[in-house]
Amino acid sequence: MQIRHPKSPKTASRRRFHSRASMTLGDGTLPGLVGVLGGMGPLATVDFMQKMVAATPATRDQEHVPALISSIPQIPDRTQAFQGQGESPLPALVACARRLEAAGAGVIVMPCNTAHLWFDAIQAAVAIPLLHIVDATLTMAAAASGDTPRVGLLATEATMASGLYTDRPYGKAVQWFLPTASEIREWITPGIAAVKAGRLDEGHCLLVQAANALHVRGAAAVVLGCTEVPLVLNDANAPLPTIDATAALARRAVEWSRHARSV
């Protein structure tokens, strides 16, 4: 026979507290709440959060952006899926987006460029808006580079092959400098993999060679179009000015949240 122990008043009170807290977030009473659909990879999500904090003009805790972070590294590989070599990440991305929406987020951001290949399908699955990392980055590129920007691109094979940046409306005004197939194979793909594996020095050594090749061919700046790349490349250690997609999305999220909290 199973013995059931009576719940202590303290345990019951604690459960009632957590229930009330969940309802407070879930009923839309916290304006400006940003949902971060992350884990692709985990270190890139941490970098996004750091850059969102840095982009916020705050003097005390309460002035910072409220955020819910879903960091699920088990989302299937986006490049493999695009190449037909792996499981689609869409079901996992939609499930994460819906959890963030149910928890009270008013907007969703994805600090992963390649995941934006499924942007429209994710947006169709939720009622709250998603902010597009490429639009935020191209706006930053235009502001930094003038009317006819000459811009290189460091990104995953899938991001480049899909035209995620180059075919975007703002992207068509850019003179793009893209890596060659051998540069992708020898420097970019293994460089991104090294960062994901925590070998940051190795990742930098590989990716800086790719950035330098774009600079030599005429790029005046380079878009860091994979969120692993800004973990090892920046204006201080790259051979040309960088346009950080992670930072661009973080700034856009801060702008959205501050506006939502001021209304």
Side-chain angles (χ1 to χ4, degrees):
M1 181 177 68
Q2 184 179 7
I3 299 174
R4 296 184 180 274
H5 297 284
K7 297 174 184 174
S8 69
K10 184 179 291 186
T11 300
S13 174
R14 188 182 300 119
R15 288 181 178 175
R16 283 196 299 271
F17 171 79
H18 285 306
S19 176
R20 285 196 298 269
S22 178
M23 288 174 61
T24 299
L25 287 177
D27 66 5
T29 59
L30 187 58
L33 184 62
V34 174
V36 182
L37 204 171
M40 304 172 281
L43 193 55
T45 300
V46 173
D47 187 44
F48 171 81
M49 289 303 301
Q50 290 178 327
K51 285 169 178 172
M52 192 162 68
V53 170
T56 304
T59 58
R60 57 195 182 104
D61 290 350
Q62 292 76 17
E63 294 173 351
H64 278 280
V65 172
L68 288 170
I69 295 90
S70 170
S71 183
I72 309 297
Q74 289 72 31
I75 294 171
D77 186 276
R78 283 66 59 198
T79 293
Q80 289 181 3
F82 174 79
Q83 294 173 337
Q85 299 173 359
E87 179 185 356
S88 171
L90 182 58
L93 291 168
V94 167
C96 290
R98 286 175 171 166
R99 281 195 294 269
L100 290 168
E101 181 181 33
V107 75
I108 293 173
V109 294
M110 292 190 295
C112 171
N113 288 264
T114 310
H116 284 69
L117 294 175
W118 292 269
F119 180 93
D120 291 340
I122 301 166
Q123 181 63 87
V126 294
I128 59 176
L130 277 69
L131 303 181
H132 204 295
I133 194 170
V134 176
D135 292 342
T137 305
L138 291 174
T139 298
M140 180 185 287
S145 307
D147 294 335
T148 55
R150 302 188 337 271
V151 178
L153 178 62
L154 295 179
T156 65
E157 293 180 70
T159 292
M160 287 187 283
S162 66
L164 185 65
Y165 271 85
T166 56
D167 292 344
R168 201 75 183 163
Y170 291 145
K172 293 178 180 178
V174 175
Q175 182 182 355
W176 289 103
F177 292 81
L178 302 179
T180 65
S182 63
E183 289 165 356
I184 294 170
R185 182 177 61 254
E186 295 173 14
W187 295 330
I188 298 177
T189 298
I192 291 170
V195 174
K196 284 183 176 291
R199 302 191 304 271
L200 303 187
D201 289 343
E202 178 185 340
H204 172 262
C205 288
L206 290 166
L207 292 166
V208 76
Q209 293 180 78
N212 188 62
L214 296 174
H215 185 40
V216 168
R217 290 205 292 275
V222 61
V223 167
L224 310 181
C226 167
T227 51
E228 265 70 44
V229 178
L231 293 165
V232 295
L233 280 187
N234 53 58
D235 283 348
N237 64 12
L240 71 171
T242 62
I243 300 164
D244 182 347
T246 305
L249 184 63
R251 292 178 190 178
R252 184 66 60 88
V254 170
E255 291 169 1
W256 178 89
S257 182
R258 294 187 74 210
H259 175 74
R261 283 178 287 149
S262 68
V263 174

